[in-house]
Amino acid sequence: DGGITQSPKYLFRKEGQNVTLSCEQNLNHDAMYWYRQDPGQGLRLIYYSQIVNDFQKGDIAEGYSVSREKKESFPLTVTSAQKNPTAFYLCASRMGKLTDTQYFGPGTRLTVL
Amino acid sequence: SQQGEEDPQALSIQEGENATMNCSYKTSINNLQWYRQNSGRGLVHLILIRSNEREKHSGRLRVTLDTSKKSSSLLITASRAADTASYFCATYPNMRFGAGTRLTVKP
């Protein structure tokens, strides 16, 4: 099956710990994105990457870090510097110049205790 | 900052009725897209309308775009209980989403 996967679906961490959320796609898409969604809210862009080994900050990058070492993978690290990390995190990918449609993963719900 | 802003925030209708949601945005766009999200899930792309288009149809969906007013509307005709979800607009190339409209369709 082609698609975009995120793991795990639920994640619990203690305050002060860094945690890495996984995002993998086998769609051969060039661009990948990370969004944060709080209850009853829209999506806010954290980071995005248009090509391997390159990424840009979105609107709320503080306290987060990413890497794009492989085309199919775009992990997000939520660091201890993120003051309110409990949220639903969504990863998306886009083919590139041919289309602007984004394909979303199922999301990871992070709860910091 | 958020780009698209949908209204109403919540909409409750009976099965068979039409549902209309609106989206306003602030900057120039290449296209505008509508997505659907079931509770606790990822978003699913519904329809894309380009900046040089005024109306587009896809099944029971009808989207309009008014670039002079920087607004778009999504109409779902003959709604079904399965249409219950949150609907978001997103503007490109900004890749920004609004807060969404929560649609409830009562059987």
Side-chain angles (χ1 to χ4, degrees), chain A residues 5-23:
Chain A
T5 59
Q6 292 183 245
S7 61
K9 188 172 178 61
Y10 299 97
L11 191 55
F12 297 88
R13 279 295 182 269
K14 292 183 178 179
E15 194 171 347
Q17 290 183 334
N18 291 356
V19 60
T20 298
L21 281 59
S22 168
C23 178

Side-chain angles (χ1 to χ4, degrees), chain A residues 51-63:
Chain A
I51 197 169
V52 175
N53 292 323
D54 187 43
F55 47 83
Q56 288 78 41
K57 293 181 179 180
D59 298 321
I60 56 166
E62 186 175 351

Side-chain angles (χ1 to χ4, degrees), chain B residues 63-83:
Chain B
V63 171
T64 62
L65 179 64
D66 187 335
T67 52
S68 66
K69 295 181 179 179
K70 289 187 167 58
S71 67
S72 174
S73 68
L74 171 68
L75 168 67
I76 304 174
T77 61
S79 63
R80 306 165 181 167
D83 293 329

Side-chain angles (χ1 to χ4, degrees), chain B residues 17-74:
Chain B
E17 294 180 338
N18 295 343
T20 299
M21 290 159 268
N22 302 298
C23 168
S24 60
Y25 58 92
K26 297 176 181 176
T27 63
S28 61
I29 62 172
N30 290 345
N31 64 71
L32 184 144
Q33 302 182 36
W34 286 90
Y35 289 80
R36 167 194 168 126
Q37 184 183 34
N38 287 80
S39 182
R41 302 285 187 92
L43 277 70
V44 175
H45 179 258
L46 294 176
I47 192 166
L48 179 153
I49 186 164
R50 302 193 186 285
S51 59
N52 61 353
E53 297 176 313
R54 292 297 168 259
E55 187 172 313
K56 200 162 184 179
H57 297 257
S58 176
R60 294 185 296 114
L61 304 179
R62 172 178 169 256
V63 171
T64 62
L65 179 64
D66 187 335
T67 52
S68 66
K69 295 181 179 179
K70 289 187 167 58
S71 67
S72 174
S73 68
L74 171 68

Side-chain angles (χ1 to χ4, degrees), chain A residues 41-75:
Chain A
Q41 303 296 314
L43 280 64
R44 290 186 288 170
L45 183 64
I46 304 173
Y47 268 99
Y48 64 100
S49 169
Q50 305 276 41
I51 197 169
V52 175
N53 292 323
D54 187 43
F55 47 83
Q56 288 78 41
K57 293 181 179 180
D59 298 321
I60 56 166
E62 186 175 351
Y64 300 97
S65 66
V66 293
S67 62
R68 187 83 188 278
E69 296 177 1
K70 299 185 295 182
K71 188 175 187 178
E72 58 270 22
S73 179
F74 191 41

